[in-house]
Amino acid sequence: MTDTTCIDGRHVVLVGMMGVGKSTVGRLLAKRLDRELIDSDRMIEERTGRTVREIFETDGEDAFRRLETEALLAGLARSAPAVIAAAGGVVVRAENRTALTDDASYVVWLSASVDVLTQRVVNGAHRPLLDDDPRAALERLDAVRNPLYREVADGIVSVVSRSPNDVVQAVMRCCA
Ligand code: S3P
């Protein structure tokens, strides 16, 4: 049994770029830790009854970012420690970064190169930002967000050449 002292009583929040595997790893990690998985995109869709794409297309990105903040704060406010798979853009707003650096959560940045991310972002249904030229968009977002992920991260785990289960193992070691 891996020791997970660092996360006792704290949420584990997975952050990182689109396509890095936050939802898949989050699901496996939640099972492993016997915790609830909170997926911020899914929470937004449940709360609004609309898809991420519909919100982007009808109300615009700023409106989506406000909903994203509400979902993140609602997840972090849960009393039972959970695993939170936070959507890629969650680090963009300063308010979210402040909430993430609180002691109540342990933030793990799942990282990968833009080459790897480009190969992985096959399902674009909830990713309107990648509609036109996924590689160019990922390059642009990666440059802006890397320092922000670093700012909030308590630990960094590379997903390159690792299966989702291997990533879970690495996250567990990172939380020890
Ligand atoms: C976004 C990431 C997406 C989704 C939306 C915007 C981003 O979630 O919230 O398309 O700005 O990085 P995933 O990171 O789960 O793909």
Side-chain angles (χ1 to χ4, degrees):
M1 183 79 186
T2 316
D3 178 33
T4 51
T5 324
C6 265
I7 56 164
D8 283 351
R10 302 165 83 188
H11 300 301
V12 179
V13 186
L14 302 177
V15 298
M17 290 283 287
M18 288 178 265
V20 82
K22 300 174 298 287
S23 300
T24 305
V25 170
R27 202 161 36 244
L28 294 169
L29 183 66
K31 200 168 171 201
R32 177 81 182 264
L33 294 172
D34 194 21
R35 292 181 174 200
E36 184 187 358
L37 172 69
I38 298 170
D39 184 303
S40 67
D41 280 340
R42 194 163 312 145
M43 190 192 270
I44 291 170
E45 296 191 337
E46 280 168 12
R47 288 175 144 217
T48 61
R50 299 156 75 201
T51 64
V52 169
R53 179 172 289 277
E54 278 165 2
I55 299 166
F56 262 83
E57 287 175 354
T58 312
D59 300 348
E61 182 169 348
D62 284 352
F64 175 78
R65 297 295 169 208
R66 282 193 291 279
L67 294 168
E68 188 170 58
T69 295
E70 283 173 23
L72 176 71
L73 297 182
L76 292 173
R78 298 271 181 94
S79 52
V83 172
I84 301 176
V90 83
V91 289
V92 170
R93 295 182 110 202
E95 185 182 355
N96 299 355
R97 297 200 299 280
T98 301
L100 287 171
T101 42
D102 188 291
D103 274 354
S105 59
Y106 188 88
V107 180
V108 180
W109 173 20
L110 301 184
S111 76
S113 63
V114 169
D115 275 349
V116 169
L117 295 171
T118 305
Q119 288 161 19
R120 287 180 173 219
V121 285
V122 279
N123 177 6
H126 74 292
R127 294 174 178 146
L129 295 177
L130 303 185
D131 280 353
D132 297 335
D133 181 346
R135 170 178 287 276
L138 286 167
E139 263 167 7
R140 182 177 51 79
L141 295 170
D142 188 62
V144 173
R145 292 177 183 177
N146 261 12
L148 306 179
Y149 292 131
R150 194 173 298 281
E151 181 184 325
V152 299
D154 295 298
I156 304 173
V157 169
S158 167
V159 305
V160 177
S161 304
R162 282 182 165 146
S163 69
N165 276 312
D166 289 345
V167 176
V168 169
Q169 275 301 124
V171 171
M172 297 284 285
R173 282 196 297 275
C174 178
C175 294

